[in-house]
Amino acid sequence: MASTRIKPLAAKRLDIQALRGLAVLGVILYHATENVSGGFLGVDIFFVISGYIIASTAIHEVNTTGHFSPKLFVMRRIRRLAPALAVVVTAVLLLSMLIDTPQHLARTVPHSALASLAGAANIYFYIEAEDYFGGFESNPLLNMWSLGVEIQFYLLFSATGGFFSFIIGRKISTAPGKNFKTFTRWLWIACLIASLWLALALANNWQLLEFRDIRAFSFFFTGSRLWQFSLGIIAATICTTILRRSTLRPMIWVLQIFSLLVIAYSFATVSDTAVIPGNTSIYTTLAVAFLLWSGALDTGPTNHLISNAALVWLGDRSYSVYLWQGPLIAYALTLFSTSMSALIAAMMSVALAIPTHAFIENRYRSGYRQTQDTRGKSSRGNTATYFIAVTISIVGLWAVPMIVEKYHSEPAVRATTLDSDCARQRGDNGFDPCRYHPDVEPAFRALLLGDSHAAAISQAFVDVVTNRGGIAEVATGSACAMYPHPEIHDYRPSCDGYTNRALAYLTDTPVDLVVVHQFSEIYIHRLRVGYDRWSRQATITAQDLTTTGAHVAVIGDSPRSLLSVGRPIWASQWLLDLSASVELRREIEEVERVALARASSSETSFHSTLDVLCETGGRCAVFDNGGWLYTDDDHLSVSANRLLQPLIHEVIDSAGL
C-alpha cells in the first residue's frame, strides 16, 4: 500500500481555508437571514483555527531558527490584521456622516472605532452594555469584538512563547522545537481546563462571578474564550504519525464526516438565547479541532467534501468578508429592516472583500519578513502607507462628530419652547403648575402630569388646549411618576409625594381633564416595579383622580429610538425599525388599558403615541420635514409635538370637552 503523506505544519492547507469559508458563511447568514440560528458559531470556528495556525507557525519557526521571536510574531499579526481593519474603520467613520446621528452614533461609532483599533473592542462593548444578539444594528462596528479577543490572545501567546524560548529554551540546547512544542501543549492544556471550567460555570449559572450581565460578560470576555484557542493549539501539537496507520484511517474518515455533520447541525439548530460560549459551542469547537488535526492526512472526506474551489476562495477572503459584513448588514437593517436588504449587504461585503484582500491584505502581510535584514524599501513603503491609514482613522474620531453635527442637525433640537423651569415639580417647592390662558373666556381646564416625557409633549398639549379655548396647566418633573412606588422614590427622592400633591391641588382647583404621560418602561423594567404592581397602582391612582371630578386620559409612551437617529442627507423622512421597543410599548399599553378600565371605563381613556409615530411592523418615524423627532434616545422634540397635535385633539374629544 502506498504511503500516506502527512502535510507539514507550515504548509497551506485547503481544508483550513475551506473551514474559514464555512465559518464566515455561517456568520453572514446568521446576520442576514433568520434561517441559520447558529451561524454565529462561525466566530468560534475562527478562534479554533487561529489557535491551530498560530501554534503551527510558532513551532515551524522554532524548528527552523531555534527560537521563537515575540517581536516578529506580534508584527506579523499586526500586518495581518491591522491594515484591512484600518480601511474598514475609516470607511465606517466616513459612512456615518451620511447615515448616523449627531446625538448618539456620532459618539458611539468613533469610540467603537478607537476601541477596535486598540484591540479592545470586546471590553468596550461589555462596558457599554452592548448586546451582540439583541441590538446588532445599533452599532456598525459591533462585529469587531472578536478582533479584540483575537488580539488579546495573540499577546498572551507571544508572552508565554517568548518566556519559554528566551528564558527556559536557551538552557536546553538539544531539540528546541520538540521542547517548545511540549511546553506549548501542556501550558495550553492547563489553559483549556481553566477557561472551559469558567465558560461552563457561567453558562450553567453557578453564580461564580457577581458581574453585571453574566451573559454579555461570558460572550465578550477573553478568559471564557481561551479554551477554544487552546483546542486549536493542542490539535497542532498532538503527534500526527498516528494518521499513517491504514487500519485507523476508515475510523478517522467516519469521524471527519461526523464532525462536519455536527457543524452543520449546530449552524441550523443552536439558539442564541443561552449563555455563550459553553454548552452551546463545545461540540462545534471539538468537531473543528478534530478536523484540523485529522486534516493533516492528505486524503479523506474533508479534502473532498469541503475543500472545493468556492469555499476555499471564500476562506482566502474570509477576514475581509467578516470585516465588511458587520457594518454593511448593520446599516442595511437600520435603514431598511428587511431580509432582502440584509442579503444584498452580505453580497456587497463579499464584493468589497475582493479588492480589500487583493490590495490591502496581500500587500501588507508580506511586508514584515521572518528576519529584519530582508526588509527593503517596499516594506518601509508598506509600513508608511499603513500608518497613514491608521492616522486617517484616528483623525476621524475627532472629525466625524464635528462634521455630522455641523451638516446634519438643526440648530436647536428641543422638546418645548415653553418655560421648562416652572414645569419641574420638586418635593421642596409644593405644587405650582405652569398656566397658559387662551385669548377668549376659558371653556375648560386641563392639567398635564407626569415625568420628563410629559414635559417633552407639553408643547403640543398647551397649543391644542389653548387653541380650543381651554386653560392648559403643566406640572411635570423628571422621574416624577404618577403611580407611586418605593423604588421610584428611592431613584428620585425629590419627587416623593408628587402624586399626593397633585391630588391635593385637584381637590382645591377643579380641573376638567387630567392627562398623564410618563416613561413607564424605566419604572416597570429598569427599576423592577413589574407589571402587576404597576397595574394595581395605576388603577388606584386613576380612581383617586376621577373622584376629583376630572376625566383621566393616559397617553402611552413613545417608542425609544435606541439610537437618536438623524436624517440622512438623501431623505426627507426616515423610518427606523423600532419593533423591539414597539412590542414592549404594546405590552405596557395593554396593562395600562386594563388598569384604567378597572378604575372607571366611562371616566378614563387611553391613547397611543405609537399610532401616530409608527407603522404596522414596528417601523417608526425619527425625522419629519419639520426636523428631528427625538432630542435623545427617549424624549420627543418640538417637531414631534407638531405630529402629536391630532392625538391631543382626540384626548380632549374623549373627555367630551
Side-chain angles (χ1 to χ4, degrees):
M1 182 178 294
S3 61
T4 303
R5 186 168 66 89
I6 303 297
K7 299 176 185 177
L9 286 174
K12 178 179 178 179
R13 286 173 33 185
L14 297 183
D15 61 311
I16 293 180
Q17 295 306 97
L19 281 173
R20 281 175 166 154
L22 186 64
V24 78
L25 183 63
V27 171
I28 60 178
L29 289 178
Y30 170 74
H31 288 154
T33 72
E34 299 178 354
N35 302 321
V36 187
S37 62
F40 62 89
L41 292 173
V43 177
D44 301 65
I45 294 175
F46 278 128
F47 289 161
V48 184
I49 294 174
S50 291
Y52 186 89
I53 294 296
I54 291 306
S56 300
T57 304
I59 292 170
H60 176 71
E61 179 183 346
V62 175
N63 285 333
T64 304
T65 66
H67 71 282
F68 172 79
S69 171
K71 178 182 177 181
L72 292 176
F73 173 84
V74 171
M75 289 303 299
R76 285 194 299 268
R77 291 295 89 202
I78 290 175
R79 287 189 165 275
R80 174 68 180 90
L81 300 179
L85 175 62
V87 169
V88 173
V89 167
T90 301
V92 170
L93 287 168
L94 296 175
L95 190 60
S96 69
M97 290 190 291
L98 299 177
I99 295 177
D100 295 329
T101 161
Q103 285 105 346
H104 185 265
L105 277 187
R107 297 192 306 270
T108 299
V109 171
H111 293 170
S112 301
L114 181 60
S116 300
L117 292 172
N122 58 320
I123 299 173
Y124 171 78
F125 293 136
Y126 173 71
I127 293 173
E128 292 296 309
E130 293 279 7
D131 184 0
Y132 179 80
F133 299 106
F136 176 73
E137 66 273 19
S138 67
N139 192 324
L141 292 172
L142 189 56
N143 66 312
M144 302 303 176
W145 74 270
S146 63
L147 270 295
V149 174
E150 291 254 9
I151 291 170
Q152 291 153 33
F153 159 69
Y154 295 148
L155 293 175
L156 180 61
F157 186 91
S158 65
T160 56
F163 171 77
F164 177 81
S165 182
F166 291 105
I167 304 301
I168 300 175
R170 287 186 173 182
K171 298 180 180 179
I172 306 175
S173 58
T174 59
K178 180 179 179 181
N179 294 329
F180 183 84
K181 186 175 181 178
T182 302
F183 164 80
T184 301
R185 179 191 306 128
W186 288 108
L187 171 68
W188 289 95
I189 286 176
C191 184
L192 166 69
I193 295 172
S195 177
L196 182 58
W197 177 83
L198 175 62
L200 292 175
L202 296 174
N204 291 284
N205 298 316
W206 292 354
Q207 303 299 321
L208 177 69
L209 298 171
E210 294 297 330
F211 283 110
R212 169 185 55 80
D213 195 349
I214 288 296
R215 184 170 182 263
F217 178 81
S218 178
F219 184 85
F220 288 123
F221 181 47
T222 304
S224 58
R225 295 282 185 176
L226 283 178
W227 66 276
Q228 298 174 312
F229 294 99
S230 301
L231 272 175
I233 293 172
I234 295 167
T237 59
I238 294 178
C239 180
T240 55
T241 55
I242 190 175
L243 297 174
R244 289 194 174 96
R245 299 181 184 178
S246 58
T247 55
L248 295 178
R249 257 177 266 151
M251 182 181 67
I252 292 173
W253 292 342
V254 170
L255 289 176
Q256 285 181 333
I257 295 175
F258 178 75
S259 297
L260 290 173
L261 292 175
V262 167
I263 295 173
Y265 180 78
S266 299
F267 277 8
T269 63
V270 169
S271 170
D272 58 17
T273 59
V275 177
I276 301 166
N279 305 336
T280 55
S281 58
I282 189 169
Y283 302 112
T284 305
T285 306
L286 286 170
V288 174
F290 178 78
L291 288 174
L292 291 171
W293 175 73
S294 62
L297 186 65
D298 202 26
T299 60
T302 56
N303 294 81
H304 300 291
L305 292 178
I306 68 172
S307 297
N308 60 76
L311 276 180
V312 171
W313 182 90
L314 186 61
D316 287 340
R317 294 152 184 82
S318 58
Y319 177 58
S320 290
V321 172
Y322 181 82
L323 291 179
W324 283 113
Q325 59 85 30
L328 293 181
I329 294 176
Y331 279 134
L333 291 174
T334 298
L335 288 170
F336 307 107
S337 186
T338 63
S339 57
M340 181 57 65
S341 66
L343 282 173
I344 293 173
M347 290 186 287
M348 288 179 59
S349 68
V350 176
L352 285 174
I354 296 174
T356 306
H357 172 74
F359 301 112
I360 304 298
E361 282 193 73
N362 288 344
R363 175 181 175 87
Y364 288 107
R365 80 167 73 198
S366 60
Y368 204 94
R369 308 293 183 181
Q370 293 289 331
T371 57
Q372 293 185 3
D373 57 3
T374 61
R375 298 177 65 196
K377 294 182 179 179
S378 175
S379 177
R380 289 192 292 271
N382 290 345
T383 303
T385 307
Y386 161 65
F387 281 111
I388 289 173
V390 173
T391 300
I392 292 173
S393 299
I394 294 175
V395 169
L397 304 180
W398 163 81
V400 169
M402 180 187 69
I403 296 173
V404 173
E405 181 70 27
K406 180 176 181 180
Y407 292 104
H408 284 229
S409 63
E410 57 188 15
V413 184
R414 296 188 296 171
T416 178
T417 60
L418 306 176
D419 184 356
S420 58
D421 289 336
C422 75
R424 296 190 180 118
Q425 303 301 307
R426 301 302 187 195
D428 57 357
N429 65 354
F431 194 86
D432 185 21
C434 301
R435 191 170 290 108
Y436 303 89
H437 294 272
D439 296 332
V440 298
E441 184 69 21
F444 63 94
R445 184 188 296 264
L447 173 64
L448 176 63
L449 299 174
D451 54 20
S452 60
H453 281 213
I457 69 167
S458 61
Q459 185 76 59
F461 174 80
V462 170
D463 289 346
V464 173
V465 170
T466 55
N467 287 338
R468 291 183 58 151
I471 295 176
E473 297 182 332
V474 179
T476 64
S478 178
C480 292
M482 273 303 294
Y483 309 151
H485 292 277
E487 295 89 343
I488 301 174
H489 298 161
D490 294 340
Y491 175 68
R492 189 58 61 88
S494 61
C495 284
D496 192 15
Y498 172 71
T499 304
N500 290 333
R501 286 183 280 120
L503 287 169
Y505 175 80
L506 289 168
T507 301
D508 297 334
T509 307
V511 171
D512 302 291
L513 171 64
V514 174
V515 178
V516 177
H517 183 61
Q518 52 200 348
F519 190 6
S520 302
E521 177 191 347
I522 190 175
Y523 310 120
I524 294 174
H525 292 283
R526 191 181 305 175
L527 300 185
R528 300 181 181 180
V529 170
Y531 284 125
D532 290 340
R533 292 172 58 210
W534 186 258
S535 177
R536 289 195 297 270
Q537 191 59 54
T539 299
I540 294 171
T541 301
Q543 289 173 340
D544 292 340
L545 290 172
T546 55
T547 58
T548 67
H551 179 91
V552 178
V554 174
I555 298 179
D557 201 12
S558 56
R560 297 190 70 186
S561 66
L562 301 181
L563 35 144
S564 301
V565 179
R567 180 186 66 170
I569 62 175
W570 40 265
S572 61
Q573 183 171 349
W574 190 9
L575 296 180
L576 181 69
D577 180 16
L578 301 179
S579 54
S581 178
V582 169
E583 182 179 353
L584 180 59
R585 291 293 183 278
R586 294 295 187 191
E587 292 177 1
I588 297 173
E589 284 185 355
E590 184 59 29
V591 169
E592 295 183 328
R593 287 180 192 273
V594 172
L596 290 177
R598 285 199 304 263
S600 173
S601 58
S602 61
E603 297 298 328
T604 62
S605 60
F606 186 89
H607 310 268
S608 175
T609 59
L610 301 180
D611 298 335
V612 177
L613 299 174
C614 302
E615 296 181 345
T616 303
R619 292 177 63 79
C620 306
V622 293
F623 185 88
D624 185 73
N625 290 328
W628 307 110
L629 300 187
Y630 287 86
T631 63
D632 54 23
D633 287 355
D634 307 311
H635 298 85
L636 297 177
S637 69
V638 172
S639 297
N641 273 251
R642 288 192 285 268
L643 296 180
L644 289 177
Q645 288 190 8
L647 180 66
I648 303 300
H649 282 288
E650 175 189 306
V651 170
I652 297 174
D653 292 339
S654 70
L657 301 175

